[in-house]
Amino acid sequence: MGLNSTPSSDRVHIGFFGMRNAGKSSVVNAVTGQDLAVVSDVRGTTTDPVSKAMELLPLGPVVIIDTPGMDDEGALGELRVKKARQVLNKTDVAVLVVDAAVGMKEADQELLSIIKEKEIPYVVVYNKADLLKERQPEGEGEIYVSAVTGEKIYELKEKIAALAVTEEPKLRIVGDLLRPSDFVILVIPIDKAAPKGRLILPQQQTIRDILDSNGVSIVVREDALRETLESLGKKPRLVVTDSQVFERVAKDTPEDIWMTSFSILFARYKGNLAEAVAGAAALDRLSDGDTVLISEGCTHHRQCDDIGTVKIPRWIREYTGKELKFAFTSGVEFPEELSSYRLIVHCGGCMLNEREMKYRIKCAQDQKVPITNYGILIAHIKGILKRSVQMFPDVAAELRED
């Protein structure tokens, strides 16, 4: 992915839901102007959620998600419905497609209740309007369309675009901490776990945000940080590091320079930094036999010394001195039942959109399970957490002095 591409996690996620044969896939294709979804007269052709990143006018960069029928049957059908419900957790705008000739079914009403409960902006689309002899007046949040004739598809796109607009200002990754021409040093270790020939997404996005703020980004490996600081001739505003070399970077960075990690910045950008900082304190309350859930938002090839499955469990055991159990999830899988865990340690969430990341945090809050993330946990273990969040006074104030 290039620096000019909008990451999927930063795109508006538009989910299309409904019963089998309501014409969801046909509506998807009509809205996108592409044969994005398979269309068939056979009920339940869509068997798994299908996602596509694209440009949708008049909205811009979006992810379109076509889901299986919510009234699918049998054991496999239940799994498909579960996956479709999971899509709601990352949906910014929900499009509920109803067969206009049949009308709202009980399952449609149940789905609409879930959408409202999750406070997801939505529109109810009565498809196959061309088959109706007469229509009921459109209510608020409703529209009659025909995917076959194209009737009111443009109006539907405008409704979706209007629902996606929010008046809340979007948080910056780092830009709100900077002044024009400020230097920011990014410390990026290049080891066997680093992808060949490219930077990972949080690093790319942080560089872009610095450029958008008229700042200057300086990228170095951890063994070049001290020399770089000495040779700059100007004090950098901030040093941002990969969490795995947090301790070394803290030692090499003078106390009068802000220092933090990509993971901590992303906890603020699309999660809840204060909650994650408070969650790290649960490390000190773990007991023998407790289970820690380690969750990642992406799926990737595991290295022999993988941070999520190897390094973090090792660091937690060494820090606590306890006999602990560990559970692991990745990608879209995140348990609905969390009460068996005493702590959740999540990745930075760069591959998840803000809604899904906040959904996971809310699940933990509702079930009173502490949740933190990789960088915050590592900073806590190394005794540098307060320093790592000092540029966020409200959060830093919550931490007690050692």
Side-chain angles (χ1 to χ4, degrees), residues 48-157:
D48 285 293
V50 177
S51 299
K52 173 71 172 178
M54 61 181 298
E55 298 287 321
L56 181 64
L57 297 176
L59 190 52
V62 300
V63 173
I64 299 290
I65 312 170
D66 185 22
T67 65
M70 297 296 285
D71 57 342
D72 217 340
E73 300 169 340
L76 184 57
E78 289 180 7
L79 179 60
R80 293 171 181 168
V81 171
K82 180 181 178 181
K83 288 184 177 181
R85 287 177 180 262
Q86 286 176 336
V87 170
L88 281 170
N89 299 331
K90 61 182 176 184
T91 296
D92 297 306
V93 177
V95 181
L96 176 56
V97 181
V98 177
D99 187 331
V102 176
M104 275 266 200
K105 294 183 178 180
E106 183 178 350
D108 289 305
Q109 295 286 1
E110 290 176 357
L111 180 57
L112 186 57
S113 295
I114 296 172
I115 291 171
K116 290 178 178 179
E117 180 183 329
K118 291 180 177 290
E119 299 181 346
I120 302 171
Y122 70 90
V123 57
V124 178
V125 178
Y126 288 96
N127 187 32
K128 307 181 185 180
D130 54 304
L131 302 180
L132 297 179
K133 293 182 179 179
E134 57 182 53
R135 308 175 186 178
Q136 297 293 326
E138 291 178 354
E140 184 178 356
E142 297 180 343
I143 186 171
Y144 283 85
V145 308
S146 171
V148 172
T149 67
E151 178 188 351
K152 296 186 81 169
I153 292 297
Y154 179 78
E155 289 82 353
L156 171 57
K157 291 164 69 172

Side-chain angles (χ1 to χ4, degrees), residues 65-371:
I65 312 170
D66 185 22
T67 65
M70 297 296 285
D71 57 342
D72 217 340
E73 300 169 340
L76 184 57
E78 289 180 7
L79 179 60
R80 293 171 181 168
V81 171
K82 180 181 178 181
K83 288 184 177 181
R85 287 177 180 262
Q86 286 176 336
V87 170
L88 281 170
N89 299 331
K90 61 182 176 184
T91 296
D92 297 306
V93 177
V95 181
L96 176 56
V97 181
V98 177
D99 187 331
V102 176
M104 275 266 200
K105 294 183 178 180
E106 183 178 350
D108 289 305
Q109 295 286 1
E110 290 176 357
L111 180 57
L112 186 57
S113 295
I114 296 172
I115 291 171
K116 290 178 178 179
E117 180 183 329
K118 291 180 177 290
E119 299 181 346
I120 302 171
Y122 70 90
V123 57
V124 178
V125 178
Y126 288 96
N127 187 32
K128 307 181 185 180
D130 54 304
L131 302 180
L132 297 179
K133 293 182 179 179
E134 57 182 53
R135 308 175 186 178
Q136 297 293 326
E138 291 178 354
E140 184 178 356
E142 297 180 343
I143 186 171
Y144 283 85
V145 308
S146 171
V148 172
T149 67
E151 178 188 351
K152 296 186 81 169
I153 292 297
Y154 179 78
E155 289 82 353
L156 171 57
K157 291 164 69 172
E158 288 193 320
K159 276 185 174 289
I160 293 171
L163 289 170
V165 174
T166 175
E167 296 180 357
E168 297 180 6
K170 177 70 176 174
L171 271 176
R172 303 285 297 275
I173 297 173
V174 69
D176 59 314
L177 303 174
L178 306 180
R179 301 160 300 201
S181 300
D182 272 346
F183 285 7
V184 181
I185 298 181
L186 308 177
V187 183
I188 300 175
I190 303 297
D191 54 22
K192 60 184 178 182
K196 301 297 183 185
R198 64 179 177 87
L199 300 178
I200 62 175
L201 185 57
Q203 297 160 358
Q204 291 184 37
Q205 290 181 272
T206 303
I207 290 172
R208 178 56 193 259
D209 197 36
I210 294 168
L211 294 175
D212 287 342
S213 306
N214 294 317
V216 178
S217 58
I218 303 167
V219 182
V220 300
R221 293 169 63 151
E222 69 276 19
D223 53 5
L225 174 60
R226 181 173 294 179
E227 182 181 349
T228 301
L229 286 167
E230 292 172 351
S231 63
L232 272 182
K234 174 181 176 178
K235 186 172 74 173
R237 177 74 165 172
L238 177 66
V239 173
V240 184
T241 181
D242 184 286
S243 299
Q244 297 187 67
V245 291
F246 225 152
E247 189 172 25
R248 175 170 183 174
V249 169
K251 290 178 180 177
D252 288 349
T253 303
E255 290 284 346
D256 62 343
I257 297 174
W258 283 347
M259 183 228 35
T260 192
S261 74
F262 293 102
S263 192
I264 289 175
L265 291 176
F266 271 76
R268 184 182 73 122
Y269 178 56
K270 61 175 60 176
N272 185 325
L273 179 57
E275 182 75 17
V277 167
L283 268 177
D284 302 314
R285 301 191 295 269
L286 293 177
S287 302
D288 290 334
D290 284 348
T291 302
V292 177
L293 173 65
I294 298 179
S295 186
E296 294 192 337
C298 62
T299 55
H300 60 267
H301 176 68
R302 304 292 182 186
Q303 302 288 334
C304 60
D305 202 20
D306 180 68
I307 185 169
T309 57
V310 180
K311 289 182 178 179
I312 286 182
R314 182 174 70 234
W315 292 333
I316 291 176
R317 288 191 182 102
E318 291 172 352
Y319 177 80
T320 63
K322 305 296 184 182
E323 292 294 327
L324 303 170
K325 301 173 185 175
F326 291 89
F328 304 92
T329 64
S330 61
V332 299
E333 299 299 326
F334 188 77
E336 294 181 4
E337 175 55 52
L338 299 169
S339 59
S340 61
Y341 306 115
R342 293 295 169 264
L343 175 64
I344 300 168
V345 184
H346 207 287
C347 69
C350 66
M351 298 302 293
L352 303 177
N353 68 348
E354 182 181 353
R355 180 175 286 274
E356 182 164 9
M357 193 66 241
K358 289 187 172 178
Y359 161 78
R360 296 184 178 196
I361 295 169
K362 183 68 163 52
C363 284
Q365 289 174 324
D366 289 346
Q367 298 178 56
K368 296 181 170 35
V369 180
I371 184 169

